[in-house]
Amino acid sequence: MGNIFLTGAPIDFFKTQDGQYVVIVCGHDTVFSRLCRASGLEELAQDTAFATNTQRAENRDLTNRVVAEWVEAHSLEEILTAFNQNEVPIGTIYSIEDIFEDPCYQA
């Protein structure tokens, strides 16, 4: 299974326009609605293929592909800003270099 979950979507690692990686775990309809708003894809929340978590899980590949296309068109900073403003959980994936440059790890 790896990073794929049967209970919801989008749930995966996504590569940003500037080559960074983020993890998005959207396992609830409310969070998906906020993700759609943050990404300017509000119409997805109304589409029957994406309307509920169960439907998104059934259409996992399509759901992840749509989100991946949006993420690939935006920088890490743009994505983090949009998701944080709309209360969408997101995490950055650190490279080895990122770890050593992070002030929290240097402390």
XYZ file of all heavy atoms in Angstrom:
843
model
N 0.812 -1.195 0.000
C 0.000 0.000 0.000
C 0.859 1.265 0.000
O 0.452 2.258 -0.556
C -0.924 0.011 1.210
C -1.971 -1.094 1.221
S -3.125 -1.001 -0.135
C -3.994 0.487 0.226
N 1.980 1.252 0.699
C 2.814 2.450 0.716
C 2.093 3.629 1.327
O 1.557 3.552 2.416
N 2.038 4.743 0.605
C 1.392 5.950 1.112
C -0.043 6.075 0.615
O -0.638 7.136 0.725
C 2.207 7.186 0.723
C 2.419 7.271 -0.774
O 2.606 6.268 -1.430
N 2.396 8.472 -1.309
N -0.623 5.005 0.075
C -1.995 5.022 -0.408
C -2.910 4.475 0.681
O -2.630 3.443 1.288
C -2.133 4.161 -1.688
C -1.190 4.653 -2.770
C -3.572 4.135 -2.165
C -1.431 6.083 -3.224
N -4.006 5.176 0.916
C -5.008 4.746 1.882
C -6.304 4.472 1.140
O -6.664 5.198 0.217
C -5.244 5.826 2.948
C -4.089 6.003 3.880
C -3.009 6.792 3.526
C -4.073 5.378 5.106
C -1.933 6.964 4.375
C -3.009 5.528 5.970
C -1.932 6.328 5.603
N -7.007 3.435 1.547
C -8.257 3.068 0.886
C -9.439 3.906 1.343
O -10.493 3.873 0.720
C -8.549 1.583 1.122
C -7.500 0.612 0.603
C -7.881 -0.813 0.980
C -7.330 0.758 -0.898
N -9.270 4.661 2.401
C -10.410 5.341 3.019
C -10.613 6.784 2.585
O -11.573 7.408 3.018
C -10.263 5.317 4.552
O -9.031 5.943 4.896
C -10.289 3.891 5.080
N -9.756 7.311 1.748
C -9.940 8.700 1.350
C -8.946 9.143 0.305
O -8.017 8.427 -0.035
N -9.180 10.341 -0.190
C -8.289 10.957 -1.175
C -8.628 12.438 -1.243
O -9.765 12.821 -0.962
C -8.455 10.302 -2.551
N -7.677 13.279 -1.564
C -6.297 12.965 -1.892
C -5.465 12.676 -0.653
O -5.587 13.357 0.362
C -5.810 14.231 -2.590
C -6.621 15.332 -1.987
C -7.964 14.712 -1.710
N -4.664 11.660 -0.767
C -3.689 11.308 0.262
C -2.452 10.832 -0.482
O -2.448 9.750 -1.062
C -4.214 10.195 1.197
C -5.470 10.653 1.934
C -3.122 9.773 2.177
C -6.135 9.567 2.767
N -1.419 11.673 -0.501
C -0.223 11.301 -1.249
C 0.863 12.357 -1.051
O 0.641 13.378 -0.406
C -0.542 11.178 -2.733
C 0.321 10.144 -3.443
O 1.407 9.799 -2.921
O -0.086 9.676 -4.516
N 2.025 12.083 -1.639
C 3.114 13.046 -1.737
C 3.004 13.711 -3.101
O 2.719 13.042 -4.095
C 4.468 12.351 -1.611
C 4.659 11.647 -0.303
C 4.493 10.275 -0.218
C 4.987 12.350 0.831
C 4.663 9.614 0.990
C 5.153 11.707 2.046
C 4.988 10.325 2.123
N 3.238 15.024 -3.142
C 3.104 15.765 -4.390
C 4.324 16.660 -4.574
O 4.793 17.285 -3.629
C 1.840 16.627 -4.365
C 0.573 15.827 -4.205
C 0.040 15.596 -2.942
C -0.074 15.298 -5.307
C -1.124 14.851 -2.787
C -1.245 14.551 -5.160
C -1.765 14.334 -3.903
N 4.793 16.744 -5.826
C 5.969 17.565 -6.152
C 5.519 18.946 -6.602
O 4.660 19.084 -7.472
C 6.788 16.907 -7.262
C 8.114 17.592 -7.512
C 8.936 16.810 -8.514
C 10.300 17.447 -8.700
N 11.114 16.647 -9.636
N 6.120 19.975 -6.013
C 5.769 21.359 -6.322
C 6.521 21.838 -7.561
O 7.450 21.184 -8.045
C 6.122 22.289 -5.146
O 7.545 22.326 -5.003
C 5.473 21.827 -3.846
N 6.122 23.016 -8.034
C 6.750 23.623 -9.216
C 8.254 23.818 -9.026
O 9.036 23.670 -9.961
C 6.083 24.967 -9.503
C 6.564 25.663 -10.744
C 5.873 26.995 -10.912
O 5.871 27.811 -9.990
N 5.276 27.214 -12.074
N 8.662 24.128 -7.788
C 10.070 24.377 -7.522
C 10.816 23.142 -7.004
O 11.888 23.244 -6.427
C 10.260 25.579 -6.589
C 9.377 25.537 -5.352
O 8.542 24.623 -5.219
O 9.512 26.440 -4.510
N 10.237 21.960 -7.246
C 10.939 20.718 -6.953
C 10.906 20.248 -5.517
O 11.594 19.292 -5.165
N 10.118 20.893 -4.683
C 9.951 20.466 -3.299
C 8.817 19.430 -3.239
O 8.046 19.290 -4.179
C 9.611 21.662 -2.412
C 10.640 22.762 -2.430
C 11.954 22.319 -1.828
O 11.986 21.733 -0.762
N 13.044 22.602 -2.515
N 8.711 18.747 -2.111
C 7.627 17.775 -1.943
C 6.784 18.144 -0.735
O 7.304 18.618 0.277
C 8.187 16.363 -1.768
C 8.688 15.771 -3.055
C 9.997 15.973 -3.459
C 7.834 15.033 -3.868
C 10.454 15.446 -4.653
C 8.289 14.502 -5.064
C 9.598 14.710 -5.449
O 10.044 14.196 -6.639
N 5.471 17.921 -0.882
C 4.536 18.114 0.221
C 3.708 16.844 0.366
O 3.543 16.077 -0.588
C 3.596 19.318 -0.007
C 4.365 20.612 -0.017
C 2.783 19.169 -1.285
N 3.211 16.644 1.560
C 2.273 15.553 1.790
C 0.923 16.195 2.112
O 0.836 17.126 2.914
C 2.737 14.591 2.905
C 2.880 15.275 4.253
C 1.786 13.405 3.001
N -0.093 15.716 1.422
C -1.458 16.188 1.639
C -2.295 14.979 2.030
O -2.299 13.967 1.322
C -2.029 16.862 0.374
C -1.193 18.089 -0.001
C -3.498 17.229 0.577
C -1.548 18.697 -1.351
N -2.964 15.091 3.169
C -3.853 14.037 3.641
C -5.211 14.673 3.867
O -5.396 15.457 4.786
C -3.333 13.391 4.949
C -4.299 12.338 5.454
C -1.946 12.810 4.734
N -6.124 14.342 3.007
C -7.449 14.955 3.036
C -8.487 13.851 3.199
O -9.026 13.337 2.224
C -7.650 15.729 1.734
S -9.065 16.792 1.756
N -8.753 13.483 4.431
C -9.638 12.358 4.696
C -11.011 12.744 5.188
O -11.698 11.924 5.799
N -11.429 13.970 4.930
C -12.727 14.437 5.424
C -13.307 15.428 4.422
O -12.575 16.210 3.814
C -12.535 15.094 6.791
C -13.802 15.392 7.495
N -14.522 16.530 7.258
C -14.493 14.686 8.426
C -15.612 16.527 8.019
N -15.607 15.416 8.732
N -14.623 15.409 4.261
C -15.278 16.286 3.288
C -15.031 17.764 3.562
O -14.827 18.551 2.637
C -16.787 16.009 3.249
C -17.101 14.615 2.729
O -16.248 14.009 2.041
O -18.214 14.123 3.009
N -15.037 18.160 4.828
C -14.813 19.560 5.168
C -13.409 20.003 4.766
O -13.235 21.092 4.218
C -15.023 19.788 6.683
O -16.346 19.387 7.020
C -14.819 21.234 7.070
N -12.439 19.167 5.014
C -11.062 19.499 4.646
C -10.937 19.566 3.126
O -10.269 20.449 2.586
C -10.066 18.486 5.252
C -8.649 18.769 4.778
C -10.137 18.517 6.760
N -11.602 18.652 2.417
C -11.538 18.690 0.960
C -12.157 19.978 0.429
O -11.635 20.585 -0.503
C -12.242 17.476 0.343
C -12.111 17.436 -1.149
C -10.902 17.122 -1.750
C -13.186 17.734 -1.960
C -10.768 17.096 -3.134
C -13.072 17.709 -3.339
C -11.856 17.390 -3.930
N -13.242 20.412 1.024
C -13.866 21.667 0.617
C -12.901 22.833 0.797
O -12.784 23.696 -0.073
C -15.145 21.899 1.431
O -15.723 23.122 1.099
N -12.165 22.846 1.904
C -11.177 23.898 2.142
C -10.014 23.797 1.157
O -9.500 24.812 0.687
C -10.664 23.839 3.576
C -11.716 24.320 4.583
C -11.164 24.353 5.965
N -11.277 23.019 6.534
C -10.844 22.652 7.719
N -10.222 23.507 8.501
N -11.011 21.436 8.152
N -9.610 22.557 0.823
C -8.558 22.359 -0.169
C -8.995 22.922 -1.515
O -8.225 23.600 -2.191
C -8.235 20.868 -0.300
C -7.152 20.492 -1.300
C -6.388 19.266 -0.822
C -7.730 20.217 -2.675
N -10.240 22.659 -1.892
C -10.759 23.175 -3.166
C -10.745 24.699 -3.181
O -10.365 25.316 -4.176
C -12.175 22.657 -3.411
S -12.232 20.890 -3.766
N -11.144 25.304 -2.076
C -11.139 26.770 -1.976
C -9.713 27.308 -2.047
O -9.425 28.267 -2.769
C -11.824 27.206 -0.684
C -11.987 28.711 -0.547
C -12.777 29.115 0.690
N -12.187 28.634 1.921
C -12.786 27.776 2.764
N -13.991 27.305 2.505
N -12.178 27.391 3.856
N -8.794 26.667 -1.340
C -7.399 27.120 -1.305
C -6.745 27.046 -2.678
O -5.909 27.879 -3.015
C -6.599 26.279 -0.306
N -7.139 26.070 -3.456
C -6.509 25.859 -4.755
C -7.291 26.468 -5.911
O -6.883 26.343 -7.069
C -6.310 24.360 -4.996
O -7.560 23.688 -4.968
N -8.414 27.122 -5.594
C -9.220 27.719 -6.656
C -9.960 26.689 -7.485
O -10.356 26.960 -8.619
N -10.164 25.520 -6.931
C -10.851 24.429 -7.634
C -12.193 24.121 -6.985
O -12.575 22.966 -6.818
C -9.962 23.171 -7.641
C -8.590 23.313 -8.291
C -7.728 22.082 -8.020
C -8.734 23.542 -9.792
N -12.930 25.172 -6.639
C -14.195 25.011 -5.918
C -15.180 24.083 -6.623
O -15.972 23.408 -5.972
C -14.866 26.363 -5.676
C -14.161 27.235 -4.668
C -13.149 28.178 -5.292
O -12.761 27.987 -6.468
O -12.717 29.105 -4.592
N -15.123 24.045 -7.959
C -16.061 23.210 -8.706
C -15.883 21.720 -8.393
O -16.827 20.939 -8.523
C -15.932 23.449 -10.212
C -14.646 22.972 -10.844
C -13.437 23.894 -10.687
O -13.553 24.957 -10.031
O -12.367 23.550 -11.213
N -14.713 21.316 -7.947
C -14.486 19.909 -7.610
C -15.375 19.451 -6.465
O -15.845 18.313 -6.467
C -13.026 19.661 -7.234
C -11.996 19.740 -8.330
C -10.623 19.378 -7.774
C -12.348 18.854 -9.499
N -15.583 20.315 -5.502
C -16.401 19.945 -4.345
C -17.842 19.652 -4.741
O -18.550 18.943 -4.021
C -16.353 21.049 -3.288
N -18.281 20.172 -5.892
C -19.645 19.953 -6.365
C -19.732 18.794 -7.359
O -20.818 18.320 -7.670
C -20.181 21.228 -7.026
C -20.070 22.466 -6.163
C -20.721 22.288 -4.795
O -21.807 21.743 -4.706
N -20.043 22.735 -3.749
N -18.609 18.354 -7.887
C -18.564 17.276 -8.871
C -18.885 15.951 -8.181
O -18.331 15.640 -7.123
C -17.163 17.227 -9.488
C -17.045 16.269 -10.643
O -17.520 15.122 -10.531
O -16.444 16.659 -11.655
N -19.747 15.149 -8.772
C -20.169 13.891 -8.138
C -18.995 12.924 -7.937
O -19.040 12.102 -7.025
C -21.279 13.196 -8.951
O -20.803 12.980 -10.292
C -22.540 14.031 -8.983
N -17.967 13.024 -8.736
C -16.801 12.151 -8.569
C -15.995 12.496 -7.321
O -15.221 11.669 -6.828
C -15.904 12.223 -9.800
N -16.192 13.710 -6.794
C -15.394 14.188 -5.667
C -16.239 14.641 -4.470
O -15.688 15.123 -3.489
C -14.523 15.375 -6.110
C -13.681 15.108 -7.313
C -14.011 15.653 -8.538
C -12.550 14.324 -7.234
C -13.229 15.427 -9.661
C -11.763 14.078 -8.346
C -12.110 14.627 -9.567
N -17.540 14.519 -4.547
C -18.437 15.126 -3.557
C -18.267 14.579 -2.144
O -18.427 15.318 -1.175
C -19.883 14.993 -4.009
N -17.944 13.300 -2.018
C -17.775 12.719 -0.679
C -16.430 12.011 -0.602
O -15.829 11.661 -1.619
C -18.883 11.705 -0.347
O -18.724 10.561 -1.191
C -20.273 12.315 -0.500
N -15.993 11.775 0.615
C -14.732 11.077 0.817
C -14.763 9.693 0.173
O -13.787 9.259 -0.438
C -14.429 10.978 2.312
C -12.977 10.692 2.559
O -12.117 11.292 1.940
N -12.709 9.773 3.460
N -15.889 9.008 0.283
C -16.030 7.681 -0.329
C -15.874 7.767 -1.842
O -15.167 6.945 -2.452
C -17.400 7.069 0.027
O -17.486 6.961 1.452
C -17.584 5.715 -0.604
N -16.490 8.763 -2.450
C -16.376 8.920 -3.905
C -14.954 9.289 -4.317
O -14.451 8.799 -5.329
C -17.380 9.961 -4.405
C -18.809 9.452 -4.318
C -19.820 10.564 -4.422
O -19.673 11.606 -3.778
N -20.844 10.356 -5.232
N -14.311 10.136 -3.531
C -12.924 10.483 -3.843
C -12.016 9.268 -3.718
O -11.111 9.077 -4.528
C -12.434 11.628 -2.957
C -13.087 12.953 -3.294
C -12.460 14.106 -2.550
N -12.494 13.985 -1.103
C -13.553 14.276 -0.345
N -14.675 14.709 -0.894
N -13.484 14.149 0.971
N -12.272 8.421 -2.720
C -11.485 7.192 -2.566
C -11.712 6.258 -3.753
O -10.765 5.632 -4.248
C -11.852 6.493 -1.263
N -12.946 6.162 -4.216
C -13.246 5.323 -5.380
C -12.593 5.874 -6.646
O -12.286 5.117 -7.566
C -14.754 5.209 -5.571
C -15.444 4.387 -4.500
C -16.959 4.436 -4.572
O -17.518 5.130 -5.449
O -17.595 3.766 -3.728
N -12.397 7.187 -6.691
C -11.765 7.861 -7.830
C -10.380 8.373 -7.445
O -9.955 9.443 -7.880
C -12.650 9.029 -8.293
C -13.970 8.556 -8.826
O -14.020 7.883 -9.844
N -15.047 8.872 -8.121
N -9.687 7.613 -6.627
C -8.404 8.021 -6.035
C -7.405 8.511 -7.080
O -6.791 9.561 -6.912
C -7.809 6.858 -5.249
C -6.450 7.118 -4.638
C -5.948 5.940 -3.817
N -6.896 5.622 -2.749
C -7.839 4.655 -2.827
N -7.932 3.919 -3.899
N -8.661 4.446 -1.827
N -7.224 7.755 -8.145
C -6.227 8.146 -9.144
C -6.566 9.496 -9.765
O -5.699 10.353 -9.920
C -6.103 7.079 -10.229
C -5.477 5.795 -9.715
O -4.813 5.824 -8.667
O -5.653 4.755 -10.386
N -7.823 9.694 -10.103
C -8.254 10.969 -10.679
C -8.116 12.098 -9.665
O -7.608 13.172 -9.989
C -9.697 10.869 -11.170
C -10.316 12.151 -11.730
C -9.517 12.664 -12.925
C -11.770 11.904 -12.111
N -8.544 11.845 -8.442
C -8.455 12.860 -7.384
C -7.008 13.286 -7.182
O -6.689 14.481 -7.175
C -9.036 12.330 -6.065
O -10.380 11.889 -6.278
C -9.020 13.387 -4.978
N -6.114 12.313 -7.023
C -4.705 12.632 -6.812
C -4.097 13.319 -8.032
O -3.271 14.217 -7.888
C -3.918 11.377 -6.445
C -4.123 10.962 -4.999
O -4.612 11.729 -4.176
N -3.764 9.740 -4.693
N -4.517 12.919 -9.225
C -3.986 13.544 -10.444
C -4.373 15.024 -10.526
O -3.551 15.875 -10.841
C -4.455 12.791 -11.690
C -3.830 13.341 -12.963
C -4.071 12.473 -14.191
N -5.476 12.167 -14.410
C -6.020 10.956 -14.297
N -5.274 9.928 -13.956
N -7.298 10.766 -14.529
N -5.639 15.340 -10.212
C -6.092 16.734 -10.249
C -5.312 17.575 -9.239
O -4.854 18.675 -9.552
C -7.615 16.823 -9.992
C -8.056 18.255 -9.756
C -8.388 16.194 -11.140
N -5.138 17.059 -8.042
C -4.390 17.786 -7.013
C -2.919 17.900 -7.421
O -2.318 18.965 -7.288
C -4.546 17.116 -5.636
C -3.618 17.746 -4.593
C -5.999 17.199 -5.176
N -2.351 16.833 -7.963
C -0.950 16.862 -8.392
C -0.724 17.917 -9.462
O 0.281 18.635 -9.424
C -0.526 15.487 -8.901
N -1.640 18.028 -10.398
C -1.505 19.033 -11.463
C -1.506 20.444 -10.884
O -0.741 21.304 -11.323
C -2.616 18.866 -12.496
C -2.445 17.631 -13.349
C -3.642 17.334 -14.230
O -4.655 18.088 -14.195
O -3.584 16.326 -14.974
N -2.355 20.688 -9.896
C -2.394 22.013 -9.274
C -1.100 22.268 -8.508
O -0.491 23.340 -8.633
C -3.608 22.162 -8.354
C -3.694 23.539 -7.793
C -4.257 24.630 -8.390
C -3.147 23.990 -6.549
N -4.098 25.739 -7.587
C -3.430 25.373 -6.450
C -2.468 23.375 -5.516
C -3.044 26.132 -5.360
C -2.078 24.133 -4.421
C -2.366 25.505 -4.350
N -0.664 21.292 -7.719
C 0.554 21.451 -6.928
C 1.753 21.691 -7.840
O 2.586 22.568 -7.572
C 0.779 20.225 -6.012
C 2.160 20.257 -5.368
C -0.309 20.154 -4.936
N 1.841 20.949 -8.932
C 2.973 21.091 -9.862
C 3.034 22.468 -10.512
O 4.089 22.865 -11.000
C 2.896 20.023 -10.954
C 3.201 18.633 -10.449
C 2.932 17.551 -11.487
O 2.424 17.864 -12.589
O 3.229 16.390 -11.184
N 1.934 23.187 -10.505
C 1.886 24.520 -11.125
C 2.177 25.645 -10.132
O 2.130 26.818 -10.504
C 0.512 24.742 -11.769
N 2.487 25.301 -8.882
C 2.691 26.311 -7.845
C 3.943 26.013 -7.028
O 4.325 24.857 -6.837
C 1.469 26.372 -6.922
C 0.242 26.833 -7.639
N -0.555 25.983 -8.367
C -0.288 28.068 -7.774
C -1.539 26.660 -8.917
N -1.398 27.929 -8.577
N 4.536 27.087 -6.506
C 5.726 26.939 -5.657
C 5.311 26.468 -4.263
O 4.146 26.597 -3.860
C 6.459 28.275 -5.536
O 5.706 29.183 -4.747
N 6.286 25.961 -3.548
C 6.041 25.530 -2.175
C 5.467 26.674 -1.352
O 4.489 26.493 -0.621
C 7.329 25.009 -1.539
C 7.228 24.601 -0.070
C 6.251 23.447 0.115
C 8.602 24.251 0.473
N 6.043 27.855 -1.473
C 5.578 29.010 -0.693
C 4.120 29.346 -1.014
O 3.322 29.616 -0.112
C 6.475 30.219 -0.946
C 6.100 31.422 -0.097
C 7.049 32.595 -0.299
O 8.211 32.387 -0.672
O 6.593 33.730 -0.066
N 3.762 29.337 -2.299
C 2.378 29.633 -2.693
C 1.405 28.610 -2.106
O 0.336 28.970 -1.608
C 2.244 29.617 -4.221
C 2.961 30.733 -4.919
C 3.010 30.535 -6.426
O 3.127 29.389 -6.906
O 2.927 31.566 -7.131
N 1.790 27.350 -2.154
C 0.925 26.277 -1.656
C 0.758 26.378 -0.148
O -0.360 26.312 0.368
C 1.497 24.910 -2.063
C 1.479 24.772 -3.584
C 0.716 23.773 -1.409
C 2.352 23.653 -4.113
N 1.875 26.549 0.555
C 1.792 26.652 2.018
C 0.952 27.851 2.438
O 0.140 27.751 3.367
C 3.191 26.737 2.627
C 4.054 25.478 2.518
C 5.443 25.743 3.086
C 3.391 24.293 3.192
N 1.115 28.968 1.764
C 0.321 30.160 2.086
C -1.159 29.896 1.870
O -1.980 30.159 2.754
C 0.790 31.360 1.234
O 2.152 31.650 1.546
C -0.070 32.582 1.499
N -1.511 29.366 0.707
C -2.924 29.109 0.396
C -3.533 28.091 1.349
O -4.657 28.284 1.841
C -3.060 28.615 -1.047
N -2.806 27.020 1.631
C -3.348 25.980 2.507
C -3.451 26.474 3.952
O -4.445 26.211 4.626
C -2.501 24.717 2.415
C -2.856 23.842 1.247
C -3.222 24.370 0.019
C -2.829 22.475 1.362
C -3.555 23.563 -1.051
C -3.161 21.651 0.304
C -3.522 22.194 -0.907
N -2.435 27.201 4.422
C -2.495 27.710 5.791
C -3.611 28.737 5.963
O -4.305 28.735 6.988
C -1.150 28.303 6.202
C -0.116 27.230 6.451
O -0.427 26.115 6.853
N 1.140 27.546 6.193
N -3.823 29.587 4.973
C -4.908 30.571 5.044
C -6.283 29.909 5.072
O -7.228 30.469 5.608
C -4.832 31.537 3.859
C -3.702 32.520 3.954
C -3.572 33.381 2.701
O -4.144 33.106 1.652
N -2.789 34.438 2.817
N -6.392 28.722 4.498
C -7.668 28.019 4.420
C -7.757 26.815 5.354
O -8.663 26.000 5.242
C -7.923 27.578 2.971
C -8.260 28.749 2.093
O -9.396 29.190 2.054
N -7.256 29.290 1.396
N -6.795 26.702 6.262
C -6.768 25.650 7.279
C -6.815 24.249 6.676
O -7.584 23.384 7.092
C -7.896 25.852 8.287
C -7.797 27.173 9.023
C -8.917 27.396 10.009
O -9.985 26.767 9.879
O -8.715 28.205 10.918
N -5.951 24.046 5.677
C -5.807 22.731 5.055
C -4.502 22.123 5.564
O -3.431 22.708 5.372
C -5.763 22.846 3.514
C -5.597 21.469 2.884
C -7.003 23.543 2.988
N -4.556 20.962 6.210
C -3.330 20.340 6.700
C -2.388 19.992 5.546
O -2.806 19.464 4.523
C -3.814 19.061 7.383
C -5.268 19.255 7.616
C -5.750 20.185 6.547
N -1.124 20.303 5.739
C -0.105 20.027 4.726
C 1.233 19.918 5.432
O 1.459 20.567 6.453
C -0.070 21.121 3.638
C 0.843 20.714 2.489
C 0.293 22.467 4.218
C 0.712 21.594 1.264
N 2.100 19.091 4.910
C 3.432 18.967 5.467
C 4.468 19.014 4.376
O 4.232 18.532 3.266
N 5.599 19.620 4.671
C 6.701 19.624 3.716
C 7.572 18.394 3.967
O 7.671 17.906 5.094
C 7.552 20.898 3.847
O 8.019 21.005 5.185
C 6.744 22.129 3.501
N 8.159 17.912 2.909
C 9.071 16.772 3.002
C 10.477 17.325 2.870
O 10.836 17.933 1.863
C 8.801 15.740 1.879
C 7.333 15.334 1.846
C 9.734 14.542 2.030
C 6.819 14.672 3.105
N 11.261 17.118 3.908
C 12.614 17.642 3.918
C 13.583 16.738 3.173
O 13.525 15.514 3.290
C 13.110 17.775 5.358
C 12.791 19.075 6.037
C 12.017 20.046 5.448
C 13.288 19.334 7.302
C 11.738 21.243 6.090
C 13.026 20.527 7.955
C 12.252 21.472 7.341
O 11.988 22.647 7.971
N 14.510 17.362 2.457
C 15.676 16.655 1.925
C 16.713 16.632 3.045
O 16.559 17.297 4.075
C 16.232 17.396 0.699
O 16.786 18.640 1.107
N 17.791 15.918 2.830
C 18.873 15.900 3.817
C 19.400 17.318 4.034
O 19.620 17.745 5.170
C 20.011 14.956 3.377
C 19.513 13.505 3.307
C 21.224 15.074 4.289
C 19.055 12.936 4.628
N 19.545 18.077 2.937
C 20.034 19.451 3.040
C 19.081 20.314 3.862
O 19.512 21.125 4.684
C 20.227 20.064 1.645
C 21.320 19.413 0.828
C 20.878 18.119 0.138
O 19.662 17.870 -0.004
O 21.769 17.338 -0.250
N 17.771 20.138 3.630
C 16.771 20.908 4.379
C 16.887 20.658 5.873
O 16.744 21.578 6.681
C 15.354 20.554 3.917
C 15.052 20.950 2.489
O 15.658 21.926 1.997
O 14.198 20.287 1.871
N 17.120 19.413 6.232
C 17.217 19.065 7.653
C 18.363 19.833 8.305
O 18.199 20.445 9.361
C 17.410 17.550 7.839
C 16.133 16.813 7.400
C 17.781 17.210 9.283
C 16.273 15.316 7.321
N 19.510 19.827 7.654
C 20.669 20.490 8.238
C 20.564 22.004 8.249
O 21.212 22.674 9.044
C 21.961 20.031 7.555
C 22.359 18.642 7.922
C 22.229 17.599 7.013
C 22.840 18.356 9.186
C 22.585 16.301 7.356
C 23.200 17.066 9.545
C 23.060 16.033 8.625
N 19.726 22.556 7.383
C 19.532 24.017 7.328
C 18.433 24.505 8.257
O 18.336 25.697 8.534
C 19.234 24.439 5.892
C 20.411 24.256 4.969
C 20.055 24.550 3.507
O 18.929 24.990 3.234
O 20.930 24.306 2.652
N 17.594 23.628 8.741
C 16.463 24.019 9.588
C 16.953 24.425 10.977
O 17.648 23.663 11.649
C 15.470 22.860 9.707
C 14.199 23.268 10.433
O 14.270 23.690 11.606
O 13.127 23.143 9.830
N 16.586 25.642 11.430
C 17.045 26.105 12.749
C 16.602 25.195 13.894
O 17.315 25.070 14.893
C 16.397 27.482 12.893
C 15.975 27.883 11.530
C 15.799 26.648 10.718
N 15.465 24.549 13.751
C 15.005 23.645 14.823
C 15.937 22.449 14.982
O 16.153 21.978 16.095
C 13.584 23.168 14.526
S 12.360 24.481 14.627
N 16.457 21.959 13.880
C 17.380 20.828 13.948
C 18.772 21.258 14.373
O 19.533 20.465 14.907
C 17.448 20.098 12.602
C 16.217 19.285 12.313
C 15.215 19.773 11.479
C 16.037 18.035 12.870
C 14.074 19.030 11.225
C 14.902 17.271 12.632
C 13.926 17.784 11.793
O 12.807 17.055 11.549
N 19.093 22.512 14.128
C 20.413 23.004 14.506
C 20.496 23.295 15.997
O 21.602 23.340 16.540
C 20.736 24.276 13.705
C 20.929 24.032 12.238
C 21.144 25.320 11.463
O 21.106 26.410 12.011
N 21.350 25.182 10.159
N 19.381 23.473 16.628
C 19.359 23.849 18.050
C 19.853 22.745 18.958
O 19.874 21.626 18.731
C 17.950 24.241 18.464
